[in-house]
Amino acid sequence: MGIRSALLNLRRSSDTRYGWWLVGIGVVISALAGNGFILSFFRIWWSDPLGSSGLMTWITTSGLRANLVLTLVAAIAVDRFGARPSLLAGLALCAAAGIATALAPVSAATLGLIALLAMGVSLGTHVPVLYAINDWFDRPKTLAIAILLAAVEVLNFLTALATANPRISTLIFAVLILVVGLPLAMSVRRRVPGTHRIAEAGQPQTAGAGQQYHCTAAPEYGWNDAVRTREFWLLTVASVCLAAVGQITRTMIFPIADYRFEVDGTYRLFELPYEIVSMLSLVVGGLMGLRMQLPGALLIFAVAQVVAVILVIVSPSAWWLFVAVTILGVGQGGARALEIAAIGRYFGRNRFATLLASSGLLVGIGSLVIGVGPLFISNLADNPTWAFTLATIPAAVSVGAYRMLGDPKPAPNAFTTPDATI
């Protein structure tokens, strides 16, 4: 029994090391096929004297909306085939699009390869990386996701600065994806479930002869079962509302500052502190998710955004607007990793990617719809503050949704049989 226990501890230690190694793999892959690569890709078109910046802007904007649907398709593939096949296919497409664009004699070839790039990025970055982390991590899931997102943001900022010559930059990124990204993706593997039983909600389960049952630490929901739950819609509605609050505030903060306090400067005056604080708050949110229950941590960051909205409305000086933007960055950044981890914590691993992409699609559409109202009204009124007060509604709804969120519940079929090695 002592030898068996020692071997089990050794395996768990090895799995832990591999899990954090997996976070590092995700950071490298996401950075190589991230903002720096995408910007250098598009700058090939922008640098062409015959290129139409208006056309490219329209294509980019349309592509961002279409990418929500494409991400859902990619997520279904990830849940079906696993993270590694998706990463390999996506990174190969990214590399092919980058090499073809960099070596094409005509910059207009960029337009024909945008779809290939979009498919590659959807299949080979965000969704499969998060799927793999959710697969390997249980309790420290929020911290792992937070570290991944924060590190990728830092590297995206640095790589975006290194795109002076777009053709050379695009070619370098594509080659690095081939020689670094693809080998790293080959080392990504699924977590093999343990054959020991983990009690779930005090419900014992009896196995038939010759069979072993297991129950994972998180309940394993199918997509249909998950979208019928109260928890899925509470999490989604809260995310929709908080995304809308962030969009409304970041769009209207400078017009408010200009109208009320005659603040001269650029949009980056408020955007830069928001981005810095939001990135730092990612890790804070991950640590809070490690120490607290997810509903409580999410509620704290939702309340922070309510405070930010109210502070913008009643701020007596421009300095208080900076404070409000900082608090908004804390709320938005701190909640990001928690919102992603909540999908895995409440619904398990089997359909994590599809549920995450489904929620993301609803958030993208819902936040856009909610944000239209205040922005439209602000064009009709002299003082944009009056229109901005409408942002208190989604902010309050998010707090109510997280307040109603309970603990994870067992899935309709919490136990699976038998264990399989994938």
Side-chain angles (χ1 to χ4, degrees), residues 63-84:
L64 290 173
R65 297 192 183 100
N67 193 52
L68 292 172
V69 179
L70 191 59
T71 299
L72 179 58
V73 176
I76 295 172
V78 170
D79 280 334
R80 174 65 180 86
F81 300 106
R84 181 166 62 187

Side-chain angles (χ1 to χ4, degrees), residues 221 225-238 346-347 400-407 409:
Y221 279 78
D225 293 328
V227 297
R228 292 171 183 168
T229 62
R230 174 173 171 265
E231 287 75 19
F232 176 81
W233 290 104
L234 286 174
L235 287 168
T236 301
V237 167
Y346 279 83
F347 306 113
Y402 286 139
R403 184 69 180 83
M404 295 169 61
L405 190 64
D407 295 326
K409 297 179 177 61

Side-chain angles (χ1 to χ4, degrees), residues 253 256-257 261 270 311-312 315 317-326:
I253 189 70
I256 291 173
F261 307 114
F270 290 98
L311 198 55
V312 170
S315 58
S317 67
W319 186 86
W320 284 103
L321 291 181
F322 283 101
V323 175
V325 169
T326 301

Side-chain angles (χ1 to χ4, degrees), residues 19 40 91 106 170 175 178 203 223 235 247 277 285 290 316 376 390:
S40 64
L91 292 175
V106 181
T170 303
V175 171
L178 285 177
Q203 298 294 331
W223 187 87
L235 287 168
Q247 292 175 10
V277 173
L290 191 62
F376 176 76
L390 293 175

Side-chain angles (χ1 to χ4, degrees), residues 14-286:
S14 175
D15 287 349
T16 299
R17 288 195 298 271
Y18 176 78
W20 288 107
W21 167 246
L22 190 62
V23 174
I25 293 175
V27 170
V28 174
I29 288 175
S30 299
L32 288 178
N35 289 355
F37 174 61
I38 296 171
L39 282 174
S40 64
F41 182 94
F42 283 124
R43 281 174 179 165
I44 294 176
W45 171 263
W46 293 333
S47 63
D48 192 321
L50 300 178
S52 170
S53 59
L55 175 62
M56 185 56 72
T57 300
W58 178 82
I59 291 174
T60 304
T61 305
S62 302
L64 290 173
R65 297 192 183 100
N67 193 52
L68 292 172
V69 179
L70 191 59
T71 299
L72 179 58
V73 176
I76 295 172
V78 170
D79 280 334
R80 174 65 180 86
F81 300 106
R84 181 166 62 187
S86 178
L87 286 168
L88 293 174
L91 292 175
L93 290 175
C94 287
I99 292 173
T101 301
L103 300 180
V106 181
S107 297
T110 304
L111 290 175
L113 294 167
I114 287 177
L116 191 66
L117 177 69
M119 287 188 290
V121 170
S122 298
L123 278 170
T125 56
H126 187 72
V127 174
V129 168
L130 290 174
Y131 173 91
I133 290 177
N134 181 69
D135 193 33
W136 276 90
F137 284 89
D138 288 321
R139 185 169 175 269
K141 192 194 309 286
T142 55
L143 182 59
I145 293 174
I147 291 174
L148 169 80
L149 296 177
V152 170
E153 283 200 1
V154 172
L155 290 178
N156 277 340
F157 174 76
L158 296 176
T159 55
L161 297 177
T163 55
N165 188 314
R167 285 188 181 274
I168 294 177
S169 299
T170 303
L171 185 60
I172 290 174
F173 276 118
V175 171
L176 287 174
I177 289 171
L178 285 177
V179 301
V180 177
L182 286 176
L184 286 177
M186 285 294 297
S187 65
V188 174
R189 53 187 170 87
R190 286 186 178 181
R191 180 182 183 184
V192 179
T195 56
H196 62 283
R197 291 174 59 188
I198 301 174
E200 185 81 49
Q203 298 294 331
Q205 182 77 17
T206 303
Q211 290 181 329
Q212 286 180 303
Y213 290 83
H214 78 276
C215 181
T216 55
E220 291 296 341
Y221 279 78
W223 187 87
N224 289 330
D225 293 328
V227 297
R228 292 171 183 168
T229 62
R230 174 173 171 265
E231 287 75 19
F232 176 81
W233 290 104
L234 286 174
L235 287 168
T236 301
V237 167
S239 296
V240 167
C241 291
L242 291 182
V245 170
Q247 292 175 10
I248 294 168
T249 306
R250 294 169 67 186
T251 303
M252 299 184 66
I253 189 70
F254 191 77
I256 291 173
D258 187 37
Y259 178 85
R260 291 169 58 185
F261 307 114
E262 298 182 351
V263 174
D264 295 326
T266 65
Y267 181 74
R268 299 294 295 174
L269 193 66
F270 290 98
E271 189 69 7
L272 186 59
Y274 167 85
E275 291 175 350
I276 294 174
V277 173
S278 177
M279 183 183 65
L280 295 175
S281 298
L282 268 169
V283 180
V284 175

Side-chain angles (χ1 to χ4, degrees), residues 360-378:
L361 180 61
L362 293 172
V363 169
I365 296 172
S367 60
L368 181 65
V369 171
I370 294 174
V372 166
L375 297 178
F376 176 76
I377 295 175
S378 67

